Amino acid sequence: MSGGAPRILVGQIFHEANSFNARLTTEVDFAIHRGAELITQATGTGTTLGGILDALGAAGATIIPALSACASPGGPVAEPLWQAMLAEMQEAARQAAPNAIVLDLHGAMVSEKTDDPEGTLLTALREIVGPDVPIAVGLDLHAHVTDAMCESADILVACKNNPHDDYFDAGQRAARLCLDALAGRIAPVLTRLRLPMILFGNDETTSGPLRDLNAVARRREAEGALDVSIHTVQAMLDVPDMAQVITVMTDSAPDTGAAICTELGAALLARAAEFRTDHLPLDALWPLLGSPEAGPYAVSDFGDRVLAGAAGDSVEVLRAALRRDGIRAAIPVTDPAAARSLRAHAPGETVRLSLGGAFSGAAPLALEARVLRHHDGRFTLAGPWLGGARGDHGKTTVLELGGLRVIVTERPALSQDVNFFRALGIEIEPLHFVLCKSGFHFKLSFEGIAAPLILGTNGPGRYDPARKGLRRAPLWPEGPALPPLGAPRHFG
């Protein structure tokens, strides 16, 4: 590249899919920004895009904003919407003729007809800009890392922590490596190892096997690797070639990349038996609430995790809570028909309604409750996961049933964040528990406020290896044997 500030095209298409959620993700679910608004909305947030903008700005790069489209996890994206986003990103690359591209992609998106949208996007961009323009991508560690992604991107960097408190760091690293490649300071080589298996429990990085594997990865980076990422694929996908993936970025050192991939892959296989769920049965929750000094708890509704792409429409915990006296809790439920019909009732009115099961097909619950308040569903996340970003779950009504606050939302809500409840005027401290449609990230936001508990509830957010015929191509532990270690593959 000749003199002058590098011209970097930036964008974001961020969605994590659950193939078993019947609710399609449509345009209303996406927060979409373009042009200068993209920069304004993402700057200062704890997102990967926020980290990208921070690093590029600090380096004096000329930032060319393309499209930012971010949605909560959910069912597959409607095909026409995906095709429109793809076409918009292609046109942005044609118009910009950038020196480099840096993107924030989740890595586990699917659409109605496309199993690998991110790979399709990267392939299309590579065809437009040619082989010499660096393309860098910041990913979620639950990404489905495909051949097309690795063949078309020069740099792939995932966040490292589960729960994810380091999106911003991943964005900064992706941008800095891209600038180094553009300036000729490094010649990045990506090495990838695929292990066709699913880690379906004990998969946080603060303890257990992944804590230890990540410690090894950080040591290898300190010894010279540009990046080492352990991608724990989203278990609720049903796409070809799913796998647990390890990627290593090196500066023209493929042998080093292969050695690190093999070391981490062998360690992961050796500890495969440790990846098991250990969640609390629902019936075990209630005795914990009996002590006067108990609570508040932040309780994970694991089977109905919106952050794993479930619809958030389960009333399993609510049904059980109604059978017990004196429970004080806040419980969100996605039900678009109920959320809209409740708008006809003023605060203070008593209403009868059927609630829940709008997408999962689970049995709904007949309720009689008092309307407490209405809300527009918009709030700013406290984070640290996506801190500073905006949430919007549509028309929302808080109902009162004795000590219960039932939160009826038009769209799946980001209830893993403490500000979801606070924006609705719900005080957490007097409650026995708040129910979070999240498996991990709620722990970050509620730290020091409410003690975390994970319930092994039912639903499309909970992976069950005993459920045969779940996906098109079974993976361990659905099959009887662990996969072989295999050989790493080099890209770039």
Side-chain angles (χ1 to χ4, degrees):
M1 186 190 75
S2 58
R7 301 173 65 257
I8 314 295
L9 184 72
V10 301
Q12 175 193 55
I13 300 181
F14 190 88
H15 179 256
E16 181 180 23
N18 183 319
S19 298
F20 309 102
N21 181 354
R23 179 185 182 273
L24 286 180
T25 301
T26 64
E27 187 169 2
V28 72
D29 298 301
F30 278 88
I32 297 177
H33 304 289
R34 300 175 174 90
E37 186 183 53
L38 178 154
I39 298 174
T40 301
Q41 291 292 323
T43 297
T45 65
T47 62
T48 301
L49 182 57
I52 291 169
L53 294 173
D54 181 79
L56 294 180
T62 298
I63 297 171
I64 307 170
L67 168 71
S68 169
C70 183
S72 299
V77 174
E79 191 66 24
L81 174 60
W82 156 240
Q83 292 298 332
M85 291 192 292
L86 172 62
E88 185 169 345
M89 290 293 289
Q90 289 174 289
E91 185 59 22
R94 290 190 190 98
Q95 293 293 328
N99 301 123
I101 298 174
V102 189
L103 301 177
D104 173 3
L105 305 176
H106 185 283
M109 177 179 172
V110 300
S111 69
E112 288 180 278
K113 297 180 180 179
T114 308
D115 287 328
D116 181 20
E118 287 101 339
T120 300
L121 169 63
L122 293 171
T123 300
L125 293 178
R126 177 58 69 200
E127 290 173 354
I128 291 167
V129 301
D132 299 326
V133 172
I135 297 177
V137 182
L139 296 168
D140 187 289
L141 67 77
H142 292 110
H144 166 52
V145 181
T146 65
D147 286 350
M149 293 165 66
C150 295
E151 289 164 352
S152 299
D154 300 279
I155 293 160
L156 292 177
V157 171
C159 66
K160 307 298 187 270
N161 299 339
N162 186 31
H164 310 329
D165 59 0
D166 61 336
Y167 274 163
F168 187 86
D169 298 337
Q172 284 191 317
R173 178 173 288 198
R176 289 169 179 164
L177 289 175
C178 185
L179 291 170
D180 285 344
L182 183 61
R185 292 187 289 268
I186 60 171
V189 174
L190 174 67
T191 304
R192 183 196 67 185
L193 177 67
R194 296 180 69 258
L195 293 167
M197 60 188 294
I198 294 173
L199 311 184
F200 65 97
N202 194 19
D203 53 352
E204 296 187 38
T205 57
T206 54
S207 62
L210 289 184
R211 176 194 59 193
D212 299 340
L213 266 68
N214 272 281
V216 174
R218 303 292 78 76
R219 287 199 299 271
R220 298 298 173 250
E221 288 171 349
E223 293 166 1
L226 300 175
D227 181 79
V228 182
S229 293
I230 301 172
H231 306 263
T232 309
V233 66
Q234 150 70 312
M236 305 312 294
L237 289 178
D238 183 16
V239 293
D241 299 323
M242 270 184 65
Q244 167 77 26
V245 166
I246 297 164
T247 58
V248 179
M249 301 288 311
T250 61
D251 182 8
S252 299
D255 290 346
T256 298
I260 296 171
C261 281
T262 299
E263 176 187 22
L264 290 173
L268 193 152
L269 289 174
R271 302 188 67 173
E274 297 179 49
F275 293 102
R276 294 287 187 272
T277 57
D278 184 22
H279 298 158
L280 195 71
L282 177 53
D283 286 345
L285 171 63
W286 316 112
L288 297 176
L289 311 181
S291 169
E293 59 274 359
Y297 290 102
V299 175
S300 163
D301 188 350
F302 204 84
D304 197 34
R305 292 180 294 154
V306 168
L307 293 195
D313 67 343
S314 171
V315 290
E316 182 181 359
V317 177
L318 174 59
R319 193 188 306 274
L322 287 170
R323 298 191 187 112
R324 288 157 177 85
D325 295 329
I327 300 297
R328 303 184 306 278
I331 300 176
V333 181
T334 306
D335 193 320
R340 293 166 194 150
S341 68
L342 284 167
R343 289 298 190 177
H345 300 277
E349 286 188 42
T350 298
V351 296
R352 292 186 177 91
L353 72 160
S354 177
L355 187 65
F359 301 99
S360 63
L365 182 62
L367 295 178
E368 182 175 298
R370 187 173 75 91
V371 175
L372 196 59
R373 66 182 65 92
H374 299 299
H375 193 268
D376 65 6
R378 298 172 184 169
F379 72 105
T380 300
L381 278 71
W385 186 74
L386 297 185
R390 295 282 289 172
D392 184 353
H393 39 84
K395 292 181 175 66
T396 299
T397 297
V398 181
L399 301 175
E400 181 182 49
L401 294 83
L404 299 179
R405 301 293 180 265
V406 180
I407 305 162
V408 183
T409 65
E410 189 177 18
R411 296 191 292 274
L414 295 176
S415 57
Q416 85 294 333
D417 195 277
V418 67
N419 277 0
F420 167 77
F421 297 96
R422 288 175 172 168
L424 297 171
I426 294 174
E427 295 184 22
I428 295 166
E429 289 73 14
L431 301 177
H432 287 119
F433 69 91
V434 295
L435 191 69
C436 304
K437 305 289 183 166
S438 161
F440 307 107
H441 303 324
F442 75 103
K443 296 180 180 181
L444 298 173
S445 192
F446 284 89
E447 185 175 4
I449 299 169
L453 291 172
I454 296 180
L455 295 182
T457 50
N458 299 305
R462 183 185 181 197
Y463 172 69
D464 181 2
R467 183 180 167 190
K468 303 302 181 185
L470 181 68
R471 67 186 87 246
R472 287 174 275 181
L475 297 168
W476 186 90
E478 297 161 26
L482 278 168
L485 181 59
R489 179 181 172 187
H490 303 298
F491 300 85

